[in-house]
Amino acid sequence: SPRSSLGSNATTTATIEFLRVTKQYLPHLARLCLISTFLEDGIRMWFQWNEQKDYIEATWGCGYFLATCFVLLNLTGQLGGCVLILSRHFVQYACFGLFGIIALQVRKYLTYWNLALGGGLLLLLAESRSEGKSMFAGVPSMGESSPKQYMQLGGRVLLVLMFMTLLHFDPSFFSILQNMVGTALIILVAIGFKTKLAALTLVIWLLAINIYFNAFWAVPAYKPMHDFLKYDFFQTTSVIGGLLLVVALGPGGVSMDEKKKEW
């Protein structure tokens, strides 16, 4: 109807204006949010060196030397990778290094959350890939089949895995509403339909929920709930970072938004 079309156009115009105003700062904020999980984990390893080392030694039975090497590799790899990504130096190498850290931590923590973080790193690789200097040197660009656009597709799909870790399966009305709204928006992001608007809406939604429900700073550090809330907070922040990259980059060629242009 004309009224709904007018509302849709107004929303699209507002989104475009927001992107124009924040274009200079949005990618920096997105990268910081996305790597916040790695940053927090690296800093925690620095301050809990002995606890981390003892945990690995006891869990793996690998001895003092290998446990120390593992913690040191994780600490330097995560903090070093974060510094390179934030400074925009050797971003592709930093991303590959963090992929390696993810592989190590899957062995350590046995959780697919770390694999889901790979989606965010794929988006970082897509952002850092320029026309002149490509990590896929020698591979011909074929429009919508270019590696960058497939990286964006893979990143969007893996963002769904990241989001699934935030779902809370309890019977309360707000949790059901939160899951339904969030799932609908993340599906739109995954298939690339109204991508920037859906991703931006989900960023605002998750930001409000994160600050309200995961306020770990309001809980004393000696209580177990402090660590649980802190973990959830940085998980959600990384998802927000991935979504902000989608807002900044767009969905790429392999998406419904791009196909609509051909129709």
Side-chain angles (χ1 to χ4, degrees):
S1 66
R3 182 173 296 179
S4 63
S5 177
L6 183 63
S8 177
N9 291 336
T11 304
T12 303
T13 302
T15 304
I16 293 173
E17 179 63 19
F18 171 82
L19 293 175
R20 186 188 66 81
V21 173
T22 61
K23 182 179 180 180
Q24 183 178 356
Y25 310 102
L26 195 59
H28 300 288
L29 179 61
R31 289 190 292 268
L32 177 61
C33 290
L34 182 59
I35 66 169
S36 62
T37 296
F38 296 109
L39 195 60
E40 187 274 334
D41 198 37
I43 293 173
R44 180 164 49 83
M45 284 187 172
W46 175 270
F47 286 103
Q48 297 180 359
W49 173 272
N50 290 326
E51 292 90 335
Q52 295 287 327
K53 179 174 58 62
D54 292 343
Y55 172 80
I56 295 299
E57 186 176 357
T59 304
W60 289 6
C62 57
Y64 175 85
F65 178 74
L66 288 180
T68 301
C69 289
F70 177 87
V71 176
L72 181 63
L73 180 61
N74 271 270
L75 188 153
T76 56
Q78 290 186 103
L79 294 183
C82 290
V83 170
L84 290 176
I85 288 172
L86 291 177
S87 63
R88 309 302 293 146
H89 291 102
F90 305 106
V91 174
Q92 294 170 1
Y93 296 107
C95 287
F96 284 127
L98 291 177
F99 273 124
I101 296 296
I102 286 174
L104 284 175
Q105 292 196 347
V106 168
R107 171 72 169 85
K108 175 186 175 185
Y109 297 115
L110 298 176
T111 172
Y112 74 88
W113 160 251
N114 296 303
L115 289 175
L117 272 175
L121 294 178
L122 278 177
L123 291 172
L124 278 174
L125 282 173
E127 186 212 15
S128 67
R129 185 175 182 270
S130 62
E131 293 293 328
K133 292 184 178 180
S134 170
M135 57 180 285
F136 294 90
V139 177
S141 177
M142 298 177 291
E144 293 184 357
S145 298
S146 68
K148 175 180 176 180
Q149 290 166 340
Y150 280 113
M151 283 191 286
Q152 287 177 271
L153 172 64
R156 295 201 322 270
V157 172
L158 287 175
L159 275 178
V160 177
L161 287 180
M162 295 174 75
F163 178 79
M164 285 175 60
T165 65
L166 306 181
L167 297 178
H168 297 283
F169 298 100
D170 59 69
S172 68
F173 172 77
F174 187 80
S175 290
I176 295 173
L177 177 64
Q178 175 184 339
N179 292 343
M180 289 177 62
V181 172
T183 301
L185 290 171
I186 200 66
I187 289 174
L188 292 178
V189 171
I191 65 176
F193 182 71
K194 298 287 185 182
T195 315
K196 291 189 175 184
L197 177 60
L200 185 59
T201 304
L202 193 52
V203 164
I204 297 171
W205 176 264
L206 289 178
L207 183 62
I209 290 174
N210 202 26
I211 293 174
Y212 185 78
F213 286 102
N214 296 326
F216 66 90
W217 52 87
V219 179
Y222 63 86
K223 292 189 176 181
M225 184 56 68
H226 176 90
D227 289 333
F228 284 119
L229 292 178
K230 190 175 184 180
Y231 180 75
D232 282 348
F233 179 87
F234 283 103
Q235 269 193 325
T236 307
T237 302
S238 288
V239 176
I240 289 173
L243 291 168
L244 285 174
L245 271 183
V246 172
V247 174
L249 290 175
V254 189
S255 64
M256 290 187 66
D257 285 344
E258 193 67 23
K259 295 298 180 184
K260 279 167 54 183
K261 298 176 182 178
E262 300 176 5
W263 301 340

